Amino acid sequence: MKRVAVLGGGPAGAYAAEKLATAGLDVVLLDEKLAWEKPCGGGLTYKAYSQYPFLIDNDTPKRIVTQTYLSTASTGAAKLALTKPLIIYSRMELNQMLLRRAEAAGAQLEKTRVLEIGRKGHGWSVKTRAGKMDVDYCVVATGARNTLREVGTQWASGDTMIALGYFVPSEQAHIDLEFFAGFEGYIWVFPRNGHLSAGICGKGESAQSLRARLELYMAKKGLSLAGATFYGHVLPSLQKPAWKTNRVSGDKWIAVGDAAGLVDPITGEGLYYAVRSADIATGLILAGQTVDYRARLRSDFTDDLELASRLAKRLFRESFLCGSVPERMIQFMRRSPAFCEILQDLFAGTQNYLDLKARLKRSLRGTFQEVAFHLFS
Ligand SMILES: Cc1cc2nc3c(=O)[nH]c(=O)nc-3n(C[C@H](O)[C@H](O)[C@H](O)COP(=O)(O)OP(=O)(O)OC[C@H]3O[C@@H](n4cnc5c(N)ncnc54)[C@H](O)[C@@H]3O)c2cc1C
């Protein structure tokens, strides 16, 4: 293979370009914006930065957050210490850092929109706003708003969430998460450098209704909209069947990150999976074994995320013992240090969903065990 085009320069594309260029391939990365403030919390879990230390060991400004408050309207807030902190970046700065690494590895970066790609000989002709180029292989990293029909995952209804929010000129040291009875989604307030990111993601409601929920919450918290900037985007949130049918690769192309739908349907975490899928995909490209991609994704993390898409329905939508699941969770947090430890590991990404049932069985006793089993299995 001589020349690879990486379509999209978010975390997935930038890391794929870095890895392929480091291995000596001729790599061109095409992004219509290059580094930009993509609507995103910008939160990276311990799982992400412990596995990819360059995500924390760098000069890029970041917040290190050690406390979160989980709340519902009826229970109020309960504090959870993040024993393995979450780090939060501005996406402009995170993307810039990753793109610089790709460039330093030898990838050529071009700021242009990819309009379409078509077969040419054994490879592709890539048409951009700046012209055309022939390449042997395409890495599809165009994110959740991928407009290229031939490649990447096509969303069925119910496979995405709306996510919207405000960058608010205010300051706090902790994260807030608010849940609602019967609503598949949540509100977050993330501290970032110089401002807060207050947002909501959810399924089954219009953007207008989500925005109204968020604004009501912000008003109650005293977060003013004065000087705030609105943002909105799409978040992949695959339903259970889609984990088997999402288009992740084909002849001379492979999709990474959001373009393949690789986001945790419960938490909305996508940054780790963007980098991880780029790592797996590029390893297979370099070994000439891309047919194994789906199987590798499954054993690495998509079996876990498939289970998460089933758990999400139960966690967010069902009621239990005359209350919603989030209400019961918050009551548990107040009473069981062992349950808090499990939640801490879920937040850090060191507890996966597949082993959760066994952990609950090991760690909790009596009624706690029974109830937690019902909630999480
Ligand atoms: C509101 C919100 C909050 C989130 N919060 C978090 C969080 O706190 N933590 C977390 O882990 N995840 C979070 N996510 C998910 C995370 O943002 C994504 O999973 C992550 O950005 C995926 O990276 P990516 O490289 O696959 O795609 P993206 O980051 O979306 O990058 C895609 C790139 O492709 C470019 N592009 C697209 N089409 C074209 C084209 N035709 N031509 C040229 N360029 C193109 C775009 O300009 C963009 O730069 C959040 C998402 C949303 C919407």
Side-chain angles (χ1 to χ4, degrees):
M1 187 187 308
K2 295 190 190 97
R3 190 155 213 234
V4 180
V6 176
L7 316 177
Y15 191 54
E18 177 188 339
K19 292 252 318 190
L20 295 175
T22 302
L25 296 191
D26 178 6
V27 180
V28 58
L29 178 151
L30 308 165
D31 192 298
E32 60 186 331
K33 301 183 191 123
L34 288 178
W36 65 297
E37 193 56 61
K38 189 209 153 180
C40 180
L44 273 167
T45 55
Y46 174 83
K47 169 178 65 183
Y49 63 80
S50 59
Q51 221 171 88
Y52 297 99
F54 62 86
L55 290 172
I56 188 164
D57 299 334
N58 57 58
D59 296 335
T60 305
K62 58 185 85 60
R63 293 288 299 256
I64 298 184
V65 183
T66 56
Q67 273 182 11
T68 183
Y69 287 83
L70 277 66
S71 61
T72 66
S74 67
T75 56
K79 184 163 103 178
L80 185 74
L82 299 175
T83 40
K84 298 175 180 107
L86 192 83
I87 56 175
I88 301 182
Y89 285 99
S90 128
R91 280 297 302 271
M92 165 76 96
E93 286 165 348
L94 176 66
N95 285 21
Q96 202 156 57
M97 184 267 285
L98 295 173
L99 287 167
R100 280 198 189 122
R101 287 174 60 93
E103 197 167 30
Q108 178 198 336
L109 310 189
E110 248 188 69
K111 187 172 178 177
T112 186
R113 180 168 176 79
V114 178
L115 300 174
E116 59 184 38
I117 62 173
R119 299 283 174 185
K120 183 156 183 201
H122 293 294
W124 296 96
S125 169
V126 177
K127 187 175 169 197
T128 71
R129 282 225 171 99
K132 278 187 178 173
M133 67 176 72
D134 293 344
V135 298
D136 301 298
Y137 198 92
C138 284
V139 175
V140 182
T142 36
R145 285 190 176 146
N146 175 31
T147 53
L148 305 171
R149 289 174 174 273
E150 305 81 359
V151 289
T153 289
Q154 307 287 296
W155 313 117
S157 94
D159 284 339
T160 55
M161 278 191 179
I162 296 172
L164 54 85
Y166 291 94
F167 294 127
V168 184
S170 186
E171 166 65 29
Q172 69 180 40
H174 63 273
I175 291 170
D176 286 309
L177 299 173
E178 168 103 345
F179 300 91
F180 302 86
F183 169 65
E184 192 171 344
Y186 63 93
I187 284 178
W188 69 86
V189 180
F190 272 22
R192 310 210 348 186
N193 280 325
H195 64 274
L196 303 177
S197 168
I200 183 167
C201 61
K203 269 189 180 173
E205 275 192 24
S206 66
Q208 202 181 12
S209 147
L210 292 174
R211 193 166 175 172
R213 271 190 200 265
L214 177 64
E215 288 179 1
L216 187 64
Y217 170 85
M218 289 172 69
K220 278 193 203 148
K221 294 276 291 181
L223 292 174
S224 165
L225 291 178
T229 327
F230 181 74
Y231 60 76
H233 209 274
V234 179
L235 190 57
S237 176
L238 300 188
Q239 303 193 93
K240 194 174 180 317
W243 288 104
K244 294 205 170 56
T245 55
N246 56 336
R247 288 195 314 182
V248 295
S249 63
D251 182 29
K252 301 280 166 60
W253 67 270
I254 201 160
V256 289
D258 279 17
L262 306 177
V263 173
D264 183 324
I266 294 179
T267 62
E269 178 181 14
L271 290 170
Y272 167 74
Y273 299 108
V275 172
R276 183 75 194 139
S277 59
D279 196 2
I280 293 170
T282 51
L284 294 174
I285 292 170
L286 294 170
Q289 290 171 348
T290 51
V291 285
D292 298 338
Y293 187 45
R294 181 181 293 281
R296 277 294 309 280
L297 288 176
R298 289 201 76 86
S299 61
D300 203 279
F301 64 83
T302 61
D303 275 351
D304 202 49
L305 298 188
E306 183 180 330
L307 172 59
S309 56
R310 187 166 68 77
L311 288 179
K313 296 263 173 292
R314 170 163 294 183
L315 277 174
F316 290 122
R317 288 198 178 272
E318 285 187 9
S319 63
F320 182 61
L321 295 175
C322 306
S324 70
V325 174
E327 284 166 341
R328 294 289 162 261
M329 267 174 49
I330 288 165
Q331 288 160 351
F332 260 41
M333 281 172 61
R334 292 186 170 130
R335 289 162 53 199
S336 167
F339 184 68
C340 284
E341 268 177 39
I342 296 172
L343 279 185
Q344 281 161 342
D345 289 346
L346 281 167
F347 270 86
T350 51
Q351 173 62 59
N352 65 17
Y353 301 111
L354 288 167
D355 299 331
L356 189 54
K357 206 169 166 179
R359 169 98 182 262
L360 292 167
K361 197 169 177 186
R362 269 196 325 274
S363 313
L364 304 178
R365 295 277 165 269
T367 326
F368 273 136
Q369 192 192 75
E370 256 173 59
V371 177
F373 242 64
H374 180 92
L375 300 185
F376 289 104
S377 57

